[in-house]
Amino acid sequence: MKLGQIGIRRAEVADAGRIADVHDAAWRQAYRGIIPGTELERMIARRGPTWWKRALERHTAILVLEVGGRIAGYATLGHNRMRMLPHAGEIYELYIDPEHQGLGFGRSLFAAAKAELRRYGLASFAVRVLAENTPALGFWERMGGKVAAETGERLGETTLAVEVFGFDPE
């Protein structure tokens, strides 16, 4: 694979379609066999280009990873939605297109997301991970996260276990 130029930047409305493509591919890889099939398909379909376009028009904080001029990953972030935790910020999502995984891009996107949170004054942050998503659990542990809470996520008729990783200021 020829990588070309690599960069991370704030997403623009014109990126919505490619972010949706990355979301689709990454979620299918990460959650097939974890999230029930019909629920997974419904969740992916709901997050198409129009959804991402609206999120960007609302100024949602989204970073994109570009490899050779093509979006190969994204991260969404902002204030912590889990009020019971002491962490001010949250990385809501961080996904890399499957063909670009294992090359260190997740680590780079994480560093950029962490810097963006600090820029917003959110030096401590949390990340929610489905407990059955073993590769993601390993990634967040390698990034320095410590399990701060355990909870559940209701998806359709199923409740899935969730590990919440906390990251304290450095």
Side-chain angles (χ1 to χ4, degrees), residues 9-24 44 46-57 62 64 71 73-74:
R9 61 173 174 79
R10 286 294 300 258
E12 301 168 356
V13 173
D15 299 326
R18 183 61 188 140
I19 296 170
D21 292 343
V22 171
H23 173 267
D24 184 307
I44 291 170
R46 187 177 67 214
R47 300 278 296 274
T50 301
W51 189 95
W52 289 103
K53 181 178 182 281
R54 287 184 185 137
L56 289 161
E57 288 172 344
I62 303 173
V64 292
I71 294 174
Y74 72 92

Side-chain angles (χ1 to χ4, degrees), residues 48-117:
T50 301
W51 189 95
W52 289 103
K53 181 178 182 281
R54 287 184 185 137
L56 289 161
E57 288 172 344
R58 289 189 313 269
H59 304 289
T60 300
I62 303 173
L63 300 177
V64 292
L65 163 74
E66 286 186 312
V67 178
R70 181 179 160 138
I71 294 174
Y74 72 92
T76 62
L77 50 106
H79 288 275
N80 185 352
R81 299 170 293 179
M82 299 163 282
R83 302 281 182 223
M84 76 284 199
L85 294 176
H87 305 91
E90 183 178 351
I91 296 177
Y92 308 131
E93 297 179 275
L94 190 151
Y95 291 100
I96 305 294
D97 188 81
E99 72 180 55
H100 291 89
Q101 291 178 7
L103 302 171
F105 294 132
R107 182 178 296 275
S108 297
L109 189 53
F110 169 70
K114 187 165 65 168
E116 189 78 354
L117 284 168

Side-chain angles (χ1 to χ4, degrees), residues 125-129 136-137 140-141 145-148 163-167:
F125 59 93
V127 177
R128 297 169 45 94
V129 182
L137 293 174
W140 293 112
E141 287 171 356
K146 304 288 184 229
V147 176
E163 300 280 330
V164 182
F165 286 86
F167 293 82

